[in-house]
Amino acid sequence: MKLFLVRHGQTVWNSESRAQGHSDIPLDSVGVQQARMLASSLAEQGIRRILTSDLNRAYSTSLPVSESLGIEITK
């Protein structure tokens, strides 16, 4: 069994070096592209389950992976 731990894609606050904590800051355009690249890089890894936090930036990062693999996201 393999476990992949993935940090959310970039947000505006990341690029400004601001701490986000539990503030629900969305992905910026770079973060959206990072999420798409993540989906591409994980396509052949045999992913069977996707777990994410309840924050939008984490969910948005996992969404392209979910869509490309046809796997439901669990928050």
Side-chain angles (χ1 to χ4, degrees):
M1 175 175 73
K2 291 182 183 179
L3 174 66
F4 295 90
L5 300 176
V6 177
R7 187 177 187 267
H8 62 78
Q10 180 176 291
T11 69
V12 172
W13 282 23
N14 292 136
S15 63
E16 295 173 351
S17 298
R18 294 175 63 185
Q20 296 173 105
H22 206 71
S23 297
D24 204 4
I25 309 305
L27 298 180
D28 63 15
S29 60
V30 172
V32 170
Q33 182 60 30
Q34 290 170 335
R36 289 182 188 133
M37 291 186 321
L38 174 66
S40 177
S41 67
L42 293 178
E44 303 296 323
Q45 296 300 319
I47 305 293
R48 294 183 286 174
R49 190 163 185 202
I50 301 171
L51 305 172
T52 186
S53 80
D54 61 345
L55 293 173
N56 182 51
R57 64 182 177 264
Y59 181 83
S60 295
T61 300
S62 64
L63 191 57
V65 178
S66 168
E67 291 172 344
S68 72
L69 299 177
I71 299 172
E72 188 174 321
I73 299 170
T74 302
K75 289 185 181 182

